Amino acid sequence: LALYFHSGEREEKCIIEDVPSDTLVIGNYKVQRWDIHKQDFLESAPGLGMFVTVTTPSAEVLLSKLYGPQGTFSFTSYLSGEHVICLQSNSTRFVAFAGSKLRIHLDIRVGEHFLDESVVQAKDKVNEVNFRLEHLIEQIQHISKEQNYEREREEKFRKTSEETNSNILWWAVIQTLILISIGIWQIKSLRDFFISKKLV
């Protein structure tokens, strides 16, 4: 997932990432500040940083840390589900006066270990092949986790659908019984009324 979005100073922006359990998530970001004179986004001042907060599906804070104007954060999920990743600048200005616009470039990689180029370019070809093989095994394990997670979600969705269908069926049966009971009661009431009036 690679994107950029605009944000005001001290304004918190969040994205939701659906992550399987026991999965490494790595995020790279870069902040640019709007320059009024040049009418363009320029590299931000070194003093500007970003608070990065990650919350688990159970609303537990997994990561809360202040980084610089550009940086890398990472966390490992221990629960499968929607993780909320929030970024907020550490501007010292009050919200009412913090009018400067920021552009935040964000690149999130799920279940991916970056290749160390120094190892890749090593002269020892056996080590290079071994390293690449380990990287492929990690990617296979990540794909397997993703598939298991999708299976869990599909099973949960199927159970919910079956329960809903069952509830609808029972509701239809109850409605039918109520309508039949009301019909019988109305027929009996009319019959009693006609008998009491000696119309029958």
Side-chain angles (χ1 to χ4, degrees):
L1 172 69
L3 54 91
Y4 77 83
F5 53 88
H6 293 155
S7 170
E9 288 187 66
R10 300 193 65 185
E11 182 185 359
E12 187 177 56
K13 292 280 188 174
C14 299
I15 63 163
I16 296 172
E17 191 69 36
D18 209 350
V19 183
S21 61
D22 194 30
T23 301
L24 176 68
V25 178
I26 299 171
N28 288 305
Y29 73 89
K30 182 175 79 169
V31 183
Q32 294 177 302
R33 193 194 295 265
W34 177 255
D35 189 291
I36 299 171
H37 304 295
K38 295 190 177 179
Q39 292 292 301
D40 196 9
F41 286 98
L42 304 177
E43 297 302 316
S44 65
L48 185 68
M50 294 296 287
F51 285 109
V52 179
T53 308
V54 179
T55 311
T56 66
S58 61
E60 183 183 337
V61 176
L62 194 62
L63 172 70
S64 181
K65 193 174 176 183
L66 175 63
Y67 294 88
Q70 71 178 70
T72 301
F73 61 89
S74 64
F75 64 92
T76 302
S77 62
Y78 65 89
L79 279 175
S80 57
E82 293 181 342
H83 288 66
V84 181
I85 302 168
C86 296
L87 293 98
Q88 182 182 25
S89 71
N90 70 335
S91 173
T92 54
R93 294 195 251 183
F94 292 112
V95 177
F97 302 104
S100 184
K101 193 162 59 170
L102 304 174
R103 177 181 282 173
I104 301 166
H105 299 265
L106 182 62
D107 181 22
I108 293 178
R109 297 170 190 252
V110 179
E112 194 170 313
H113 295 265
F114 294 115
L115 286 167
D116 186 349
E117 289 303 320
S118 62
V119 177
V120 173
Q121 294 171 358
K123 292 178 182 176
D124 189 349
K125 292 293 178 187
V126 174
N127 285 343
E128 182 185 341
V129 170
N130 187 37
F131 181 76
R132 286 191 182 276
L133 189 61
E134 285 175 9
H135 185 70
L136 284 172
I137 290 169
E138 283 179 359
Q139 286 181 323
I140 290 167
Q141 287 171 344
H142 171 64
I143 291 167
S144 176
K145 284 179 195 171
E146 284 276 357
Q147 287 177 332
N148 290 336
Y149 178 52
E150 290 301 325
R151 261 190 234 108
E152 285 172 21
R153 287 182 64 187
E154 187 182 343
E155 188 177 338
K156 191 186 290 184
F157 179 74
R158 188 169 34 80
K159 281 181 182 174
T160 306
S161 299
E162 286 171 1
E163 285 171 11
T164 306
N165 288 338
S166 175
N167 290 340
I168 289 169
L169 176 66
W170 280 111
W171 178 242
V173 168
I174 290 166
Q175 277 184 320
T176 305
L177 291 174
I178 290 170
L179 287 171
I180 290 169
S181 303
I182 290 171
I184 292 169
W185 177 77
Q186 283 180 334
I187 291 168
K188 187 179 180 304
S189 298
L190 280 171
R191 187 170 164 269
D192 292 345
F193 174 76
F194 289 141
I195 288 171
S196 65
K197 296 291 180 181
K198 297 180 181 178
L199 297 171
V200 177

